[in-house]
Amino acid sequence: MFNVLIVDDDAMVAELNHRYVSQLREFQCCGVASTLEQAKALVLNPQHPIDLILLDVYMQQDNGLDLLPVLRSVQRPIDVIMISSASDADTIKKSLHYGVVDYLIKPFQFARFEEALTNWAKKKVLMDNQQNYQQSELDRIIHGTPAQAPRPEGEAKRLPKGLTVQTLRTICQWIDEHADTEFSTEDLASSVLISRVSCRKYLVWLEEIKILHTSVHYGVTGRPVYRYRLQPEQHAQLKQYAQD
């Protein structure tokens, strides 16, 4: 579960964002700060768990941007999404300079809010659970580079660098045999006797080309685990990969 701190001096806006956060299964609000002093006290307290801050710019007595250098100075692994009516270039450039991961201009729809938080969560899980990357994997995380689309029928198979047809066939055959089962990377790796790291590369690619659906689950420790399920409408495409 990801802990979200809301920093906004407008009680109604803070409550709305709190409700938005509560609608996302992977997130929980760990606090609401109406001033920068309150926010700084929470940030400077290592015992208070914070993964993500939703930060306003215009506050009655403060400028939310002043919290960003504080975050850098304490070096806590906390990310920031700006939520503000400030749409001027200088404010946005300064926010990006300090490394905010997204910027929502008020007013916005819940769908955009959900997109910002879920995209952040997905990238965080990927970064926290992998030690080394290929360039194509890093490009997808940082730039959102789209995966290569599935090949048209009869066209030679094109896979991202580092993936092989033989291993893809093995993995797709196992998924085909468990078409109605939700599974984890560990489930697959232990069954096909391929390393978890290798399996994960193929699963990420199969998800990106829409053959697999991914969901995030949390155990008693709160550590997120990706689980995969075959998209029923893509079963024929999977079988093709399993047979080639």
Side-chain angles (χ1 to χ4, degrees):
M1 189 71 69
F2 297 114
N3 295 293
V4 180
L5 172 65
I6 297 171
V7 182
D8 198 308
D9 66 342
D10 187 320
M12 291 183 63
V13 173
E15 176 60 23
L16 177 62
N17 289 337
H18 191 174
R19 292 180 182 179
Y20 278 176
V21 169
S22 68
Q23 293 181 49
L24 303 178
R25 186 180 63 176
E26 304 170 25
F27 298 86
Q28 64 181 4
C29 180
C30 65
V32 176
S34 60
T35 68
L36 283 196
E37 286 305 312
Q38 293 175 358
K40 289 177 183 178
L42 294 172
V43 166
L44 294 173
N45 179 5
Q47 303 303 315
H48 192 88
I50 305 171
D51 299 302
L52 179 66
I53 295 177
L54 305 183
L55 178 62
D56 190 16
V57 175
Y58 297 143
M59 305 173 74
Q60 289 185 359
Q61 299 179 354
D62 303 304
N63 186 320
L65 295 177
D66 293 336
L67 183 63
L68 299 178
V70 176
L71 283 172
R72 279 197 169 184
S73 67
V74 298
Q75 298 183 347
R76 287 190 66 184
I78 300 173
D79 289 318
V80 177
I81 293 177
M82 304 300 297
I83 297 182
S84 176
S85 58
S87 59
D88 61 285
D90 287 343
T91 297
I92 293 173
K93 285 191 291 186
K94 187 172 182 179
S95 300
L96 296 176
H97 172 75
Y98 278 107
V100 302
V101 298
D102 208 336
Y103 197 111
L104 275 62
I105 300 175
K106 300 176 183 177
F108 52 85
Q109 300 296 319
F110 173 72
R112 181 63 181 88
F113 182 95
E114 180 180 25
E115 177 188 22
L117 270 67
T118 55
N119 283 348
W120 168 84
K122 187 172 183 179
K123 289 181 179 180
K124 179 172 175 58
V125 171
L126 287 172
M127 295 295 290
D128 287 351
N129 290 296
Q130 189 162 336
Q131 295 181 342
N132 299 288
Y133 297 88
Q134 294 183 359
Q135 185 65 56
S136 60
E137 294 174 322
L138 194 57
D139 289 344
R140 285 195 291 272
I141 292 174
I142 296 177
H143 304 295
T145 304
Q148 195 169 19
R151 63 187 175 94
E153 188 173 355
E155 185 180 335
K157 191 191 306 295
R158 296 190 300 269
L159 296 176
K161 185 177 180 181
L163 274 60
T164 67
V165 173
Q166 293 82 0
T167 302
L168 177 64
R169 183 190 304 121
T170 298
I171 288 174
C172 287
Q173 286 173 347
W174 186 90
I175 296 173
D176 183 31
E177 293 170 358
H178 301 80
D180 298 323
T181 304
E182 190 177 62
F183 61 92
S184 67
T185 306
E186 289 77 7
D187 295 333
L188 174 63
S190 62
S191 297
V192 299
L193 302 180
I194 297 173
S195 75
R196 180 184 178 278
V197 171
S198 294
C199 283
R200 187 173 168 282
K201 293 177 182 178
Y202 289 86
L203 293 174
V204 167
W205 184 71
L206 289 170
E207 178 203 8
E208 289 174 343
I209 64 173
K210 309 302 182 184
I211 287 180
L212 295 179
H213 169 74
T214 305
S215 58
V216 181
H217 297 257
Y218 295 88
V220 294
T221 63
R223 182 183 178 87
V225 175
Y226 275 145
R227 297 191 69 82
Y228 302 87
R229 179 181 289 274
L230 175 66
Q231 299 272 32
E233 65 274 15
Q234 297 295 331
H235 202 163
Q237 181 67 57
L238 178 86
K239 281 185 173 290
Q240 189 171 4
Y241 285 128
Q243 294 169 1
D244 289 352

